[in-house]
């Protein structure tokens, strides 16, 4: 049976998840609810929110890792914070079960709940993928990729066996969406700088491979822009393999196949396999009594209330990547809002107003509707592409190169939550302009006690 812990007895709005939606909901409600004698409680395994569009730049050494996250404790001072996983939501009883990192699970009662658990990496049953690959969904993964890639360049420069050297200096990214394209571009830029500073390795020995199962990349931009991006990456020596899929990754020995006929395409070895081929709603939402649609997301109405066959469910709300929210602009895939930061942030702000109006009678309930402002992507220093609403792109590539790179930084710099974090990121960018990107890798992060254990062990 779940144990009890000391919790506030005030009427509670429980926020499940501390990402985009969770952070903005808590920020928007914590003081307002406190005035009415209530409390906002946020539960998340991490003590911070990660601004995921910055992960490629963290992996590429352009942004300090801690600057890409927002501390819950620092900015949610009127919110009850719990580090743990919500493992079950029983809305019929108005309780959620939380599993802390250590200790026994316990129940939290609530009056209203906001399901903001977000998304996790989506993978497929590919042999060896779990052992050889790494995702790019968390700040820890971004840091690990950065250190590992730089380590492979350094280690490869000392290898004399041609096969081992080629394996170390081969870097593969699977997935041609925004995350994959930005990641491989940032990493290539970083490795190019690392090679300049290491006389034992040549740029011609470096191999970057992008694997994409579809016939085009970056569906958020125009076809013409996507083709330009492919040409740009290839001009930098990056192999872009379209209509190609990963079939096997056992022991880092990759087997690629052509799509859709699944005939053999290529085989080679690598020490670095980055997986960015999609996301899915957090599976924990299935451990609830809320209605789930075919893609595993919670069914929600345009007003962001969780909605079943008989209409809205009182006291239950959902937004972001774990929610199927109707796209009233008519541009969404399958009629629903796509899972991205633009929608998550704006849905959270609308949810705050709707929940407050419903619970306390202040304001009005309105449907969420947002027309995309476009898309921006950075490909390393002074390189990028942008498809911005209102900018004519017919017959042209649109915004690309340094201007697109500046638009990318400007948009995400403004979108980064809290003034404190905006300033830290801007300061890091300013430093990079004069000092170049940071290519110093950190060693033994997976085993930080190794040096102490060696020093403390009896000498033979």
């Amino acid at each position: 049976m779940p144990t009890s812990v000391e919790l506030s007895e005030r009427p509670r709005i429980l926020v499940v998840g501390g990402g985009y939606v969770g952070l903005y909901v808590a920020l928007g409600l914590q003081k307002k609810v406190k005035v009415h004698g209530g409390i906002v409680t946020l539960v998340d395994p991490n003590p911070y929110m990660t601004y995921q569009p910055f992960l490629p730049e963290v992996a590429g050494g352009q942004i300090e890792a801690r600057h890409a996250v927002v501390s819950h404790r620092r900015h949610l001072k009127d919110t009850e914070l719990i580090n743990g996983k919500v493992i079950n939501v029983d809305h019929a009883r108005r309780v959620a079960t939380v599993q802390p990192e250590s200790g026994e699970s316990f129940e939290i009662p609530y009056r209203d709940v906001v399901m903001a658990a977000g998304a996790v990496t989506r993978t497929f049953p590919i042999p060896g993928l779990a052992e050889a690959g790494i995702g790019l969904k968390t700040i820890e993964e971004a840091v690990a990729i950065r250190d590992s890639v730089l380590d492979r360049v350094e280690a490869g420069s000392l290898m004399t066996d041609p096969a081992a050297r080629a394996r170390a200096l081969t870097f593969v990214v699977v997935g041609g969406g925004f995350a994959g394209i930005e990641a491989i571009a940032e990493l290539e830029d970083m490795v190019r700088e690392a090679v300049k500073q290491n006389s034992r390795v040549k740029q011609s020995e470096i191999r970057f491979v992008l694997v994409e199962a579809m016939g085009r990349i970056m569906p958020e931009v125009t076809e013409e822009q996507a083709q330009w991006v492919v040409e740009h990456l290839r001009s930098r020596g990056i192999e872009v393999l379209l209509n190609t899929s990963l079939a096997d990754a056992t022991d880092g020995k990759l087997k690629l196949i052509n799509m859709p006929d699944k005939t053999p395409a290529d085989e080679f070895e690598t020490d670095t396999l980055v997986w960015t081929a999609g996301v899915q709603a957090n599976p924990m939402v299935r451990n609830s009594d809320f209605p789930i649609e075919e893609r595993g997301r919670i069914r929600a109405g345009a007003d962001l209330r969780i909605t079943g066959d008989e209409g809205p469910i009182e006291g239950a709300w959902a937004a972001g990547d774990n929610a199927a929210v109707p796209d009233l602009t008519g541009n969404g895939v399958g009629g629903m809002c796509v899972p991205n930061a633009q929608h998550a942030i704006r849905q959270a702000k609308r949810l705050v107003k709707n929940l407050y109006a419903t619970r306390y009678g202040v304001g009005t309930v309105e449907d969420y509707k947002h027309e995309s402002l476009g898309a921006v992507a950075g490909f390393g220093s002074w390189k990028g592409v942008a498809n911005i609403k209102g900018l004519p792109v017919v017959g042209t590539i649109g915004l690309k190169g340094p201007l697109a790179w500046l638009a990318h930084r400007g948009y995400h710099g403004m979108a980064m939550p809290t003034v404190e974090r905006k300033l830290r990121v801007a300061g890091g960018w300013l430093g990079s302009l004069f000092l170049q990107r940071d290519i110093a890798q950190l060693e033994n992060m997976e085993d930080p006690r190794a040096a102490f254990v060696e020093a403390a062990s009896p000498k033979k």
Side-chain angles (χ1 to χ4, degrees):
M1 292 290 293
T3 60
S4 61
V5 298
E6 186 176 346
L7 298 169
S8 172
E9 296 182 356
R10 287 179 283 171
R12 175 177 287 106
I13 296 176
L14 176 65
V15 182
V16 180
Y20 296 110
V21 174
L23 176 70
Y24 276 98
V25 167
L27 278 171
L29 286 175
Q30 58 179 358
K31 292 185 182 298
K32 294 179 179 180
V33 171
K34 184 178 180 181
V35 170
H36 291 278
I39 191 169
V40 175
T41 299
L42 185 147
V43 182
D44 193 278
N46 296 316
Y48 50 77
M49 170 265 192
T50 302
Y51 190 71
Q52 294 179 9
F54 281 160
L55 293 182
E57 289 197 59
V58 172
Q62 290 277 46
I63 293 178
E64 165 60 35
R66 283 185 175 83
H67 296 172
V69 301
V70 180
S71 168
H72 291 155
R73 289 279 174 200
R74 177 161 188 166
H75 297 283
L76 298 177
K77 295 182 180 179
D78 290 306
T79 296
E80 184 179 48
L81 298 171
I82 298 175
N83 287 143
K85 293 182 179 180
V86 173
I87 57 177
N88 181 268
V89 176
D90 186 348
H91 193 65
R93 297 174 51 227
R94 301 291 178 102
V95 296
T97 304
V98 176
Q99 178 61 63
E101 185 174 346
S102 59
E104 297 183 13
S105 62
F106 57 91
E107 289 187 341
I108 297 181
Y110 63 81
R111 183 166 62 177
D112 298 279
V113 64
V114 177
M115 298 299 291
V120 299
T121 300
R122 180 186 63 184
T123 60
F124 302 101
I126 298 173
L129 177 60
E131 294 76 23
I134 185 172
L136 187 55
K137 197 73 172 64
T138 69
I139 196 70
E140 293 82 5
E141 288 174 325
V143 172
I145 290 170
R146 173 182 176 276
D147 291 339
S148 177
V149 167
L150 291 171
D151 174 78
R152 289 298 82 200
V153 172
E154 189 67 27
S157 72
L158 295 172
M159 295 177 181
T160 56
D161 178 75
R165 188 179 178 98
R167 176 177 171 130
L169 301 179
T170 296
F171 308 98
V172 181
V173 175
V174 178
F178 261 67
I181 298 298
E182 289 188 312
I184 200 167
E186 287 286 351
L187 291 173
E188 193 276 337
D189 229 26
M190 180 179 69
V191 169
R192 190 174 291 272
E193 182 64 28
V195 168
K196 289 180 182 179
Q197 300 184 30
N198 190 331
S199 60
R200 294 190 301 267
V201 63
K202 300 177 181 179
Q203 184 63 37
S204 59
E205 295 181 277
I206 303 298
R207 184 183 185 188
F208 274 92
V209 182
L210 176 73
V211 179
E212 169 53 49
M214 305 300 291
R216 64 160 289 182
I217 61 170
M218 300 176 72
E220 296 88 350
V221 301
T222 67
E223 179 72 32
E224 199 169 15
Q225 285 176 313
Q227 292 175 359
W228 178 84
V229 173
V230 170
E231 294 171 1
H232 168 77
L233 294 178
R234 287 173 174 165
S235 73
R236 292 165 59 173
I238 298 173
E239 301 174 38
V240 181
L241 307 180
L242 302 179
N243 294 309
T244 306
S245 183
L246 177 64
D248 197 309
T250 304
D251 297 327
K253 300 175 182 177
L254 307 190
K255 295 182 180 179
L256 306 181
I257 56 175
N258 296 307
M259 297 297 288
D261 55 11
K262 298 185 179 181
T263 57
D266 195 6
E267 294 186 19
F268 56 89
E269 297 185 20
T270 182
D271 289 334
T272 307
L273 174 61
V274 181
W275 180 271
T276 65
V279 297
Q280 62 181 350
N282 194 321
M284 72 74 45
V285 301
R286 295 182 180 274
N287 297 329
S288 70
D289 48 1
F290 295 128
I292 307 294
E293 48 94 74
E294 61 274 8
R295 297 185 64 180
R297 299 173 297 182
I298 298 173
R299 290 166 53 190
D303 61 359
L304 304 172
R305 287 186 288 186
I306 297 177
T307 304
D309 295 336
E310 299 179 358
I313 298 174
E314 200 275 330
W317 304 79
D321 294 356
N322 71 180
V325 179
D327 188 339
L328 299 184
T329 68
N331 297 322
V333 178
M336 298 296 172
C337 295
V338 297
N340 63 23
Q342 263 193 63
H343 281 305
I345 293 172
R346 287 168 175 81
Q347 285 175 7
K349 293 179 179 180
R350 182 72 260 165
L351 191 156
V352 166
K353 295 177 181 179
N354 287 356
L355 192 159
Y356 192 62
T358 300
R359 177 55 61 192
Y360 298 105
V362 181
T364 58
V365 176
E366 298 179 15
D367 287 345
Y368 169 78
K369 183 178 181 180
H370 170 68
E371 189 170 350
S372 175
L373 301 176
V376 290
F379 304 146
S381 298
W382 303 104
K383 299 178 281 289
V385 67
N387 181 13
I388 301 174
K389 182 181 178 182
L391 180 72
V393 297
V394 178
T396 70
I397 299 303
L399 203 59
K400 61 184 177 66
L403 288 178
W405 179 77
L406 289 172
H408 167 264
R409 288 209 156 176
Y411 173 78
H412 286 299
M414 291 298 295
M416 181 68 183
T418 76
V419 173
E420 175 248 341
R421 247 34 187 178
K422 294 181 196 293
L423 292 177
R424 290 184 186 275
V425 169
W429 279 339
L430 185 62
S432 293
L433 287 177
F434 298 99
L435 304 174
Q436 299 181 328
R437 70 175 71 229
D438 191 345
I439 61 168
Q441 77 269 24
L442 301 178
E443 298 288 348
N444 297 321
M445 292 300 290
E446 294 183 0
D447 187 13
R449 295 183 63 251
F452 176 79
V453 171
E454 181 179 2
S457 297
K459 303 298 185 294
K460 294 184 180 180

